Structure formats: structure tokens, C-alpha cells
């Protein structure tokens, strides 16, 4: 019989209240969580990750009711929250309660990024804490995000006062980020696709004007140590190869999805980047990934890993 995680939940909640950091599983990636209202705790997250302080953090909340207390919702936000929460969608909205999500967590902005995660352990911890947490991916800044408990511990476990093992992350990519300020803008693609969002609120503008309001917008982000080469039909000598589709196998090959399934590829992406990087290759070649649907988000992360996106 599986052990009841309730004692671990209470330990983690106590650690957050005391200003400590917690390794937190979500359906997207593992996060390094801190009390969003505590600037010292938030500063500890930045320190543990080596993250630039101008990069805002997402406030994770238990439900839409909590989100409405810290952010100003309009009709578009209500529609998207009803459709996709709990789940991998972050909304950037005007801030309503600057104390609940401190200035440092918002990078000094007058907006706040909010999300209600779907992972049951994350939801239980948020309910036990009774307030929002920031929980950026539990990696050193710029490195591939951890999608397993072991990888999260390897990256930032030394900085955590508690850690929750939620198994492998089901989605494997960070949340979609949409700003709802004037025009609706897609700041970061993710598992909730552009098409799904536009079906509810109409066309999305591009990110340029509001890119600084979103995490994960640095040009070189999610990067392994080895250089990344995209749109590769085959690896060069000394390269590891991230394949996509049937037939690709063998030593030095990690197939994101032998059946060309984009959801499987997304779930495997960061873990395979890490595994390939551990072999100390001359580089990591990545096969072409279709741009449709979830492929937009996968290609966004790969371009940032290669340093091609500003």
C-alpha cells in the first residue's frame, strides 16, 4: 500500500511558512516553491536558481477564487480559467493584492502571473498553506527543467527544506502563458495550445510588447551544456541525437516519440536533453519537430535551448 503523503504535505507547508523552499511536483515540471508573500523566501529561490531578478515568477494558487483575490479578472480571464484550470495555463493580469505576491516575485511589475496547477500533491500543499507560492522550475537558471523527482533534487535539492515526490510529470513542458492586459497576447506557448485559447477569446497577438512579463523568455534558456543543433536529419560524429518518429534507435539516440506523438515528445523533451547531455557529447542534434499544435511549444523550448530566440 502506498504511503499516505499527508505528513509530507504538512512538513512542506510548515517549511514554506518558515520561509523555506520546497521541491514541488506539478503536471508541467517540478518547481522550487516559496511563499509568494515572503520576499526573503523569494530571494532564496532566485539565489538557488541563479535566476535574473528581472524575470517574474508565477504565483501558483489552489483555485480561481484565490487567484481573483490577487489578480483582477476580466471576462476573458474568467472564460480561460473555467476552461483550463486546474491545468497548465498561466494568466498575466493586473495585480490586485501586492502583499500576497511580493514585489520581488513580480519583478517590480504592476501585473501578476497566476496559475492553478492540476497535480494532486501541489493542490494539497496549496490548500494546506492557504496562500500562493511561487514555484519556478526546480533547475539552475537556463538549464533544462526537471520532469522527475531525481532531476529536481540534483539541480536544486540542496537548497530545499522539504521535497515532495510526485512521480514523472505528465505534461513535461512549462505552462502556456497568456497576458490579458489590453490585447490578449501569447507570451509563452505550452500544452494549452494557441488554437484552444483562440477558440474561447479570439485571436492572440504576439509576445513582443509584453515578453518581459513572462518567465522563460530569455534567449538562451532550457539549455544543456552541449551545443544544440536543430532541424537535424542525422547526428554528426560525436553528437547525441534527439529523434522524432519511427525507426530511429541505437546508441546515442533518444527518440522523443517513435510514434510521432507530440504529447509524448513534450513529456520526454527535458528528460532526454538531460540524459543526452550527461554523455558529454560534442553536441546534441535534434530532428525536425512539426510546428502544429503542441509542436509550437516544443520548438520554442528547443530554439531557446539553442540560443536562437530573444
Amino acid at each position: 500500500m502506498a504511503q499516505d503523503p499527508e505528513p509530507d504535505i504538512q512538513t512542506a507547508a510548515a517549511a514554506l511558512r518558515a520561509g523555506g523552499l520546497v521541491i514541488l511536483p506539478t503536471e508541467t515540471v517540478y518547481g522550487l516553491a516559496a511563499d509568494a508573500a515572503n520576499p526573503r523566501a523569494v530571494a532564496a529561490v532566485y539565489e538557488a536558481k541563479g535566476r535574473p531578478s528581472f524575470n517574474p515568477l508565477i504565483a501558483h494558487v489552489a483555485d480561481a477564487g484565490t487567484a481573483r483575490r490577487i489578480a483582477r479578472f476580466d471576462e476573458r480571464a474568467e472564460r480561460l480559467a473555467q476552461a483550463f484550470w486546474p491545468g497548465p495555463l498561466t494568466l498575466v493580469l493586473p495585480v490586485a493584492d501586492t502583499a500576497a505576491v511580493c514585489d520581488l516575485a513580480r519583478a517590480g511589475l504592476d501585473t501578476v502571473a497566476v496559475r492553478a496547477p492540476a497535480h494532486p500533491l501541489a493542490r494539497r500543499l496549496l490548500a494546506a498553506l492557504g496562500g500562493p507560492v511561487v514555484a519556478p522550475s526546480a533547475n539552475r537558471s537556463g538549464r533544462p527543467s526537471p520532469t522527475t523527482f531525481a532531476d529536481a533534487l540534483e539541480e536544486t535539492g540542496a537548497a530545499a527544506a522539504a521535497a515532495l515526490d510526485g512521480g514523472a510529470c505528465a505534461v513535461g513542458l512549462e505552462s502556456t502563458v497568456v497576458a490579458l492586459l489590453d490585447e490578449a497576447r501569447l507570451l509563452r506557448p505550452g500544452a494549452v495550445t494557441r488554437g484552444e485559447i483562440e477558440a474561447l477569446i479570439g485571436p492572440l497577438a504576439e509576445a513582443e510588447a509584453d515578453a518581459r512579463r513572462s518567465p522563460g523568455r530569455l534567449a538562451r534558456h532550457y539549455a544543456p551544456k552541449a551545443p544544440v543543433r536543430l532541424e537535424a536529419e542525422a547526428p554528426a560524429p560525436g553528437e547525441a541525437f534527439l529523434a522524432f518518429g519511427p525507426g530511429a534507435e541505437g546508441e546515442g539516440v533518444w527518440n522523443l516519440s517513435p510514434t510521432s506523438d507530440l504529447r509524448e515528445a513534450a513529456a520526454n523533451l527535458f528528460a532526454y536533453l538531460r540524459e543526452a547531455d550527461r554523455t558529454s557529447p560534442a553536441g546534441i542534434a535534434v530532428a525536425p519537430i512539426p510546428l502544429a499544435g503542441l509542436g509550437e511549444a516544443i520548438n520554442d523550448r528547443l530554439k531557446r535551448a539553442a540560443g536562437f530566440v530573444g
Side-chain angles (χ1 to χ4, degrees), residues 3 13 51 144 202-203 254 257 261 270 273 286:
Q3 183 178 359
R51 187 180 181 126
W254 286 261
S257 175
D261 183 317
F270 290 134
L273 274 173
V286 185

Side-chain angles (χ1 to χ4, degrees), residues 16-43:
L16 290 170
R17 291 189 194 99
L21 308 185
V22 171
I23 298 287
L24 176 68
T26 79
E27 74 278 19
T28 57
V29 300
Y30 272 80
L32 184 63
D35 179 356
N38 184 336
R40 288 184 177 272
V42 173

